[in-house]
Amino acid sequence: MVTRYGFSEKVGLASADRSSLSGEMKRVVDEEVKTMLNEAYERARDVLKTHEKDLHCLAKELLEKETLTAQQIRDLCSATEHKAAKAT
């Protein structure tokens, strides 16, 4: 994404094959990829922590039923939110 679509402020709007990049530019690209991966990991971790109760409730239900419809998932998650609101 960094070299193909220019998804980086440091690399800019450039499209290049990695083999045609200089050693310094490869290092910059590698740093940008690492930064993007770390940021994505942190966002995913935050989402999972924020919705941990829903995650466990959904996992338990899936172990029992194996499949759920979108509506069943919405109902399950909203029920979890209502329980949490009543607890506080």
Side-chain angles (χ1 to χ4, degrees), residues 31-44:
E31 286 176 8
E32 286 297 287
V33 169
K34 184 178 180 180
T35 298
M36 292 171 77
L37 288 172
N38 285 335
E39 289 171 358
Y41 172 81
E42 289 300 322
R43 281 193 310 273

Side-chain angles (χ1 to χ4, degrees), residues 19-68:
S19 62
S20 66
L21 298 175
S22 69
E24 177 64 20
M25 185 57 84
K26 284 181 185 178
R27 187 188 63 73
V28 170
V29 168
D30 288 343
E31 286 176 8
E32 286 297 287
V33 169
K34 184 178 180 180
T35 298
M36 292 171 77
L37 288 172
N38 285 335
E39 289 171 358
Y41 172 81
E42 289 300 322
R43 281 193 310 273
R45 201 170 135 245
D46 289 345
V47 167
L48 291 172
K49 282 288 186 190
T50 300
H51 300 284
E52 188 173 9
K53 289 180 182 178
D54 286 335
L55 176 65
H56 290 292
C57 188
L58 183 59
K60 180 182 174 191
E61 196 73 12
L62 283 169
L63 285 171
E64 291 175 13
K65 296 185 179 179
E66 291 190 21
T67 60
L68 297 170

Side-chain angles (χ1 to χ4, degrees), residues 1-16 36:
M1 288 188 333
V2 173
T3 57
R4 179 176 268 180
Y5 302 111
F7 286 175
S8 165
E9 289 182 22
K10 286 185 181 177
V11 175
L13 297 174
S15 178
M36 292 171 77

